[in-house]
Amino acid sequence: MTVLRFTAVWCPSCLIMKSRWRVFFKDRPDFRQIDYDYDDDVDAVRQYGIGDVLPVMIVLDGTREVLRLVGEKTMKELERFFGGIAP
Amino acid sequence: MKKWLKAFLLLGFLLAFPRPTATAENVVVLHFFHLDTCVNCAAEEVALDAIAARHDNLVVMKYEVTDAEAAALFEAVKTAFGDVSGTPYTVLGGVAFSGYNDQTGRDIETMIVRYSTEAHADVVGIVAAGGTPTEADFDEFGYADGDVIDLPIIGEIAVEDLSLGLAAVLIGFVDGFNPCAMWVLLFLITLLADHGDRKRMWLLGSAFLFASAAMYFLFMAAWLNVALTISEVQWIRIVIGVAAFAFGIRNVVRFFRKAKIPDAGCDVTDAKKKRKIADRVRAIVKNGSFWIALFGIVTLAVSVNFVELACSAGLPLLFTQILVYNQLPAASYYGFIGLYILFFLLDDLIVFAAAMVTMRVTGISSRYARWSTLVGGAIMVVLGFLLVFFPEIVTLRF
């Protein structure tokens, strides 16, 4: 499975989520992680229809989107949302 | 018989015990419960000696609470006051002071002055004599106009200025959560942290904060001087009040509108403008010359804080306006503005300090920014309303 993460340098919530993701995915090596910058990676932003709130995390199973998380999420919320996804 | 007990009995004759009446200058008895091993007790003992030297009518009774009788009296006195504190414990008339710092010393002296001319009961005396103090025997320590209290960090402040000081703290703090310019600091320290040069990080980060504070201070000082010259014009007061009320309502509405959206995060607004600022920060950090980087940081802080001012939607203006209606001495105006800015920058200072210590940058959650919109909006609604209809209350001197 692939995790796409959209952040921006001017977004404090993105900083918060980056450190949470670092911890969360430490024990989940099966997820391939790709980071996009909201301002630099305009094509990807358009392709995945990133809206007006950052950060955004999308989980893909092949090319199929299985999960999309928008904004700040706690570790518990991350655990809960990923609970139903087996890589 | 213990020394203190003898002195006690002697005092029984000297005082109209247990309820002395007011005379030109009453004898005031101070009961000091202490431990020889307690550092604060030692500090208070020194202070009490100095206080006693200034007040001839003061009698200081000392009780070392490792002594069984003194300990029993201490327990009985604390029970009477409904207190569970340890030493140092000081009782004057019907008032007990627990612990000691410079402010306690000042408060004790305030009570001595008051009791010198006011009738009062001696609760410790009543308890020691085996009696039970009535409700009327207890007193309350309160501040009066003209009293000065000593606050940590802020220093001495007149009691009548306290509510204004609290307003500076509260409004400044709420204003500081406004996220408009904070991301620049975060981005700056992220880039500096990547370079791993802690000294450069300290210097450039501090320069950014200092320049931000100076910029905000200059803006508020400039508005203060404008407001001072137009403070007598009634319609300007009403216009400012109506504008504050309208901005406040807008912020409250915005909060409730956003509350429906569960995803607290960063709103994608002015992304291009932000990108330009980010590029500027990158160029500054990359610059090999420290002095050019420092100059860049200072000019960046000034320009970014212009944005912040617009973002704050009037809280600093409103606070300055409140100061004007208080008709303070010039130094006090600037003192309160300084206090406002200190708390305005508090969240930035915390983030910066945390980044410096851990070398890892984190932001302040957007959830707090959301709540600051509501609190800031509510403050503006209330103050705007008061400005229009009750300008005499808006001085916030309670």
Side-chain angles (χ1 to χ4, degrees):
Chain A
M1 280 193 181
T2 310
V3 176
L4 312 178
R5 298 184 299 217
F6 293 83
T7 58
V9 292
W10 40 261
C11 168
S13 296
C14 301
L15 273 177
I16 290 172
M17 286 315 297
K18 273 180 183 174
S19 55
R20 282 188 199 150
W21 290 335
R22 198 180 303 126
V23 176
F24 185 78
F25 286 106
K26 207 172 139 189
D27 303 325
R28 291 172 172 81
D30 297 333
F31 286 95
R32 195 163 70 97
Q33 299 164 51
I34 303 173
D35 288 305
Y36 291 106
D37 184 281
Y38 182 85
D39 302 295
D40 289 340
D41 302 306
V42 184
D43 292 340
V45 168
R46 201 170 298 142
Q47 183 188 345
Y48 290 101
I50 304 304
D52 294 337
V53 177
L54 288 178
V56 175
M57 179 164 70
I58 297 169
V59 182
L60 299 176
D61 184 0
T63 54
R64 188 172 61 92
E65 181 175 328
V66 291
L67 179 68
R68 178 178 291 231
L69 298 179
V70 180
E72 287 178 37
K73 297 283 175 267
T74 61
M75 287 298 274
K76 270 191 181 169
E77 285 172 322
L78 288 177
E79 299 276 0
R80 186 157 52 85
F81 285 120
F82 273 76
I85 300 172
Chain B
M1 195 184 288
K2 294 283 171 191
K3 248 193 321 190
W4 62 264
L5 200 57
K6 283 181 196 165
F8 220 110
L9 292 175
L10 184 65
L11 268 171
F13 293 103
L14 290 173
L15 305 172
F17 188 78
R19 286 186 185 77
T21 51
T23 58
E25 192 166 70
N26 295 328
V27 171
V28 178
V29 186
L30 181 149
H31 303 273
F32 176 49
F33 295 91
H34 66 102
L35 263 173
D36 283 344
T37 52
C38 146
V39 179
N40 283 341
C41 301
E44 180 168 350
E45 202 159 6
V46 172
L48 288 179
D49 288 344
I51 291 172
R54 290 194 289 272
H55 300 275
D56 292 339
N57 61 326
L58 179 70
V59 177
V60 178
M61 303 285 295
K62 295 180 182 177
Y63 313 87
E64 215 285 334
V65 297
T66 49
D67 175 87
E69 283 178 67
L73 179 63
F74 185 36
E75 287 307 314
V77 168
K78 284 198 295 180
T79 306
F81 277 99
D83 210 337
V84 289
S85 312
T87 55
Y89 196 82
T90 313
V91 182
L92 269 156
V95 174
F97 295 92
S98 174
Y100 179 76
N101 58 30
D102 289 347
Q103 185 57 45
T104 319
R106 222 189 299 271
D107 295 345
I108 287 171
E109 198 153 8
T110 302
M111 282 313 293
I112 293 167
V113 172
R114 214 179 96 186
Y115 280 158
S116 295
T117 54
E118 248 180 44
H120 60 278
D122 182 356
V123 168
V124 176
I126 296 169
V127 172
T132 307
T134 64
E135 208 173 303
D137 293 329
F138 293 99
D139 207 345
E140 265 185 36
F141 177 73
Y143 294 106
D145 278 3
D147 287 350
V148 169
I149 60 168
D150 194 5
L151 296 174
I153 303 170
I154 295 158
E156 290 185 359
I157 185 166
V159 166
E160 59 268 32
D161 289 341
L162 194 60
S163 50
L164 207 50
L166 285 174
V169 168
L170 175 69
I171 303 174
F173 187 66
V174 170
D175 190 11
F177 274 102
N178 203 309
C180 293
M182 194 189 201
W183 74 267
V184 182
L185 174 70
L186 293 174
F187 184 52
L188 172 69
I189 48 183
T190 303
L191 290 185
L192 290 169
D194 287 345
H195 280 71
D197 186 342
R198 206 178 268 254
K199 191 177 164 193
R200 202 174 156 95
M201 215 171 144
W202 266 117
L203 291 170
L204 294 183
S206 307
F208 182 86
L209 286 172
F210 185 77
S212 300
M215 165 68 202
Y216 228 69
F217 187 89
L218 286 175
F219 169 78
M220 288 177 79
W223 178 253
L224 173 77
N225 287 296
V226 172
L228 280 169
T229 55
I230 57 173
S231 64
E232 297 301 319
V233 187
Q234 289 292 314
W235 68 265
I236 289 180
R237 171 176 59 80
I238 292 167
V239 166
I240 292 172
V242 170
F245 189 84
F247 268 119
I249 292 285
R250 188 197 69 155
N251 282 359
V252 172
V253 169
R254 188 185 281 180
F255 169 82
F256 284 108
R257 198 175 289 159
K258 281 198 169 186
K260 290 177 190 165
I261 307 164
D263 309 316
C266 303
D267 289 328
V268 179
T269 50
D270 298 327
K272 275 186 185 163
K273 204 190 286 175
K274 285 173 180 169
R275 187 75 212 176
K276 269 188 188 168
I277 296 174
D279 290 342
R280 212 171 132 193
V281 177
R282 273 202 189 94
I284 290 167
V285 173
K286 269 187 195 162
N287 201 302
S289 162
F290 170 75
W291 294 107
I292 293 175
L294 183 67
F295 179 74
I297 285 292
V298 171
T299 51
L300 177 78
V302 170
S303 59
V304 160
N305 276 284
F306 264 119
V307 179
E308 177 93 17
L309 281 171
C311 234
S312 296
L315 278 176
L317 290 186
L318 205 52
F319 179 71
T320 314
Q321 201 68 32
I322 292 168
L323 289 182
V324 169
Y325 290 121
N326 275 279
Q327 298 179 329
L328 302 166
S332 298
Y333 284 130
Y334 297 111
F336 281 117
I337 290 176
L339 184 63
Y340 180 101
I341 288 168
L342 178 69
F343 279 84
F344 166 75
L345 280 180
L346 194 63
D347 56 342
D348 300 58
L349 289 168
I350 290 169
V351 166
F352 180 58
M356 290 306 302
V357 172
T358 62
M359 289 301 274
R360 186 167 282 181
V361 185
T362 189
I364 299 242
S365 171
S366 302
R367 292 171 215 264
Y368 298 120
R370 270 192 184 185
W371 282 101
S372 83
T373 310
L374 176 68
V375 178
I379 289 172
M380 291 185 85
V381 167
V382 172
L383 292 180
F385 182 79
L386 293 178
L387 262 177
V388 175
F389 296 107
F390 302 99
E392 68 283 1
I393 300 177
V394 91
T395 54
L396 302 180
R397 294 203 161 213
F398 305 121

